[in-house]
Amino acid sequence: MSITVYSKPACVQCTATTRALDRQGIDYSVIDVSTDAAAYELVQELGYRQVPVVIAGETHWAGFRPDIISGLSPALA
């Protein structure tokens, strides 16, 4: 499963999310919505108005969600 974190600079929740993924040993990619118009559109199409937006396989969510991150397995990521 690929994991993508849609983020922007100086975002406290974005930093917390990537740090939590790092602690779990989960690989992910980060896309900056402030510089990528297509990524910004995708986030909006999913119905989100804040970052981070995390897409993990078929699951997606917004904000810092340690409860969801802790349920992700490095073996699946």
Side-chain angles (χ1 to χ4, degrees):
M1 160 176 42
S2 70
I3 298 177
T4 305
V5 179
Y6 293 89
S7 181
K8 69 178 184 177
C11 169
V12 173
Q13 289 191 27
C14 300
T15 301
T17 297
T18 56
R19 285 183 181 166
L21 289 167
D22 290 340
R23 280 193 302 273
Q24 292 288 325
I26 297 172
D27 290 329
Y28 60 91
S29 59
V30 176
I31 298 177
D32 184 344
V33 298
S34 70
T35 61
D36 187 327
Y40 181 72
E41 277 187 40
L42 173 67
V43 166
Q44 287 190 316
E45 286 171 8
L46 290 172
Y48 297 114
R49 300 283 180 232
Q50 69 176 25
V51 288
V53 170
V54 180
I55 299 178
E58 298 295 318
T59 304
H60 51 85
W61 68 88
F64 177 49
R65 294 291 307 269
D67 56 323
I68 297 174
I69 293 169
S70 66
L72 297 174
S73 168
L76 299 175

